[in-house]
Amino acid sequence: MKSYSVQEINAILKGELVGNTTQNIDGLEQLKNAKPNQMTFIGSIKYERLWESSKASAAIVNENIRIEPGEGRAFIKVKNADLAMAKLLEEFDPGPPPFEIDIHPTAVVHDSAIIGKGVKIGAHCYVGKNVTLFDGVILYPNVSIFDDTSVGAQTVIWSGTVIRERTEIGAQCIFHTNVSIGADGFGYRPSDDGRGLVKIPQIGNVVIGNLVEIGSNSCVDRGKFSSTIIGDGCKIDNLVQIGHNSVMGRFCIMAGHSGLAGSVTLGDGVMIGGSASIKDHTVIESGAVVGAGSGVMNDVAAGKTVLGYPACDSREMLKQWVALRKLAKN
């Protein structure tokens, strides 16, 4: 178990040490749950009141915090407590499960697959024909990668993930458990006799940029033609649906249970809140924000924040909610 003195932690964070404690720190925890051997953080003055009852011996705090640590306790003052805590979490991270052998004997790897240096493939993985795994790729047990797919260097793919044929994945991505990449898009038309639905072939693929992270049980469907595209640096939460032929710009964020219907286009830096849904063929321009639970039916201009169902300008929607509340009271 890793353990640090508060002076050693301050040297890592390069903050200002206020007060002191002789208690070594061997873990991190929230204010309410912290024990004397754990460090916590205070990122806002509204949480100052919780410090007195906290059992933590030390805390990372923002520079504007007004309280003192107290006897036998210490603060490390920094410009941004959230970022400093993230840096310290890296120090305490125990790391992922180790591989005892680089390529497990139960893995099935096609003879035509190209395997880079330092690649690790866990038990019961499947690597298909003409797949390329670049240097340092890690496949945890029970990952399936189908034919003609390429996976960029240092990408990590967790158990249960299935990556369908012809997918292109960039470097340093993380796919968490049970991600689905490249399943058929949702496309049907009424049959000629009117008695059922005819499946429309989905012959495109998925293209994912560098530094993309996709949460557990999220799905990215292949294009009907051409590609479904996820740009560099996008972060996708658990249980998110990306419909066929959608295009996400760089560094977009999608929170859990949100979804893009087919052929949605996002600019760079778009943020979509949890459980929000975006209608097909909608364009959301760079820097726009979609509030949680919203239903976007029309295009959204760059930098605009929308809210509600159907979504509209957030300030207008808040005015509507206030008016409805007043009506309900009368």
Side-chain angles (χ1 to χ4, degrees):
M1 179 182 293
K2 296 181 179 179
S3 181
Y4 299 89
S5 69
V6 71
Q7 290 81 10
E8 289 172 328
I9 292 174
N10 187 49
I12 293 169
L13 300 180
K14 297 179 172 58
E16 176 191 353
L17 182 60
V18 179
N20 194 20
T21 178
T22 58
Q23 174 71 56
N24 268 21
I25 305 300
D26 57 26
L28 307 171
E29 189 49 273
Q30 300 176 56
L31 265 168
K32 291 182 179 180
N33 301 329
K35 299 175 182 178
N37 62 326
Q38 295 175 320
M39 180 169 246
T40 188
F41 76 108
I42 304 174
S44 170
I45 59 175
K46 68 180 181 180
Y47 298 115
E48 289 179 346
R49 58 185 174 80
L50 300 177
W51 174 245
E52 185 177 354
S53 61
S54 176
K55 295 181 181 179
S57 297
I60 302 167
V61 302
N62 281 348
E63 292 175 338
N64 65 342
I65 293 299
R66 301 165 298 188
I67 59 175
E68 296 297 322
E71 185 177 354
R73 306 172 90 187
F75 283 164
I76 296 176
K77 289 193 171 184
V78 295
K79 289 183 178 180
N80 189 314
D82 288 331
L83 292 179
M85 179 57 84
K87 185 174 183 179
L88 196 55
L89 283 166
E90 293 177 358
E91 295 292 329
F92 281 97
D93 185 357
F99 278 73
E100 295 181 357
I101 185 171
D102 284 353
I103 300 179
H104 196 275
T106 62
V108 176
V109 181
H110 196 277
D111 291 341
S112 64
I114 299 173
I115 308 300
K117 296 179 180 178
V119 169
K120 299 183 187 301
I121 303 176
H124 303 291
C125 287
Y126 172 78
V127 178
K129 183 178 179 181
N130 297 325
V131 167
T132 299
L133 304 180
F134 286 87
D135 295 353
V137 167
I138 296 177
L139 309 183
Y140 282 96
N142 298 304
V143 168
S144 296
I145 302 181
F146 287 86
D147 300 1
D148 302 305
T149 290
S150 64
V151 181
Q154 310 301 323
T155 287
V156 176
I157 302 175
W158 286 90
S159 297
T161 294
V162 176
I163 300 173
R164 288 276 301 274
E165 62 276 12
R166 302 190 305 280
T167 298
E168 300 173 25
I169 297 169
Q172 299 181 57
C173 295
I174 302 172
F175 297 165
H176 293 279
T177 50
N178 299 317
V179 167
S180 171
I181 305 292
D184 286 357
F186 190 69
Y188 302 90
R189 61 173 176 80
S191 62
D192 291 338
D193 60 12
R195 294 183 178 180
L197 297 172
V198 176
K199 182 177 175 63
I200 298 173
Q202 308 288 302
I203 64 171
N205 71 336
V206 175
V207 176
I208 296 175
N210 303 316
L211 299 167
V212 171
E213 185 163 357
I214 301 179
S216 298
N217 297 299
S218 289
C219 302
V220 182
D221 290 347
R222 69 173 58 250
K224 179 167 64 175
F225 28 69
S226 66
S227 304
T228 302
I229 299 173
I230 299 178
D232 292 346
C234 288
K235 309 301 180 185
I236 297 170
D237 199 358
N238 301 337
L239 297 164
V240 171
Q241 163 66 17
I242 310 295
H244 61 160
N245 290 106
S246 287
V247 176
M248 297 176 64
R250 299 173 301 164
F251 302 104
C252 296
I253 294 175
M254 293 187 66
H257 285 271
S258 60
L260 308 181
S263 300
V264 171
T265 300
L266 306 185
D268 295 339
V270 171
M271 299 177 67
I272 297 178
S275 298
S277 54
I278 317 299
K279 177 183 172 293
D280 59 297
H281 297 276
T282 300
V283 176
I284 301 178
E285 296 184 10
S286 295
V289 177
V290 178
S294 299
V296 178
M297 311 297 287
N298 299 296
D299 294 350
V300 179
K304 189 173 183 178
T305 298
V306 296
L307 183 63
Y309 201 102
C312 66
D313 181 85
S314 58
R315 291 168 296 183
E316 179 60 32
M317 181 55 66
L318 290 171
K319 289 178 183 178
Q320 291 181 28
W321 288 347
V322 170
L324 287 170
R325 183 176 296 177
K326 289 179 178 178
L327 286 172
K329 289 180 179 180
N330 294 332

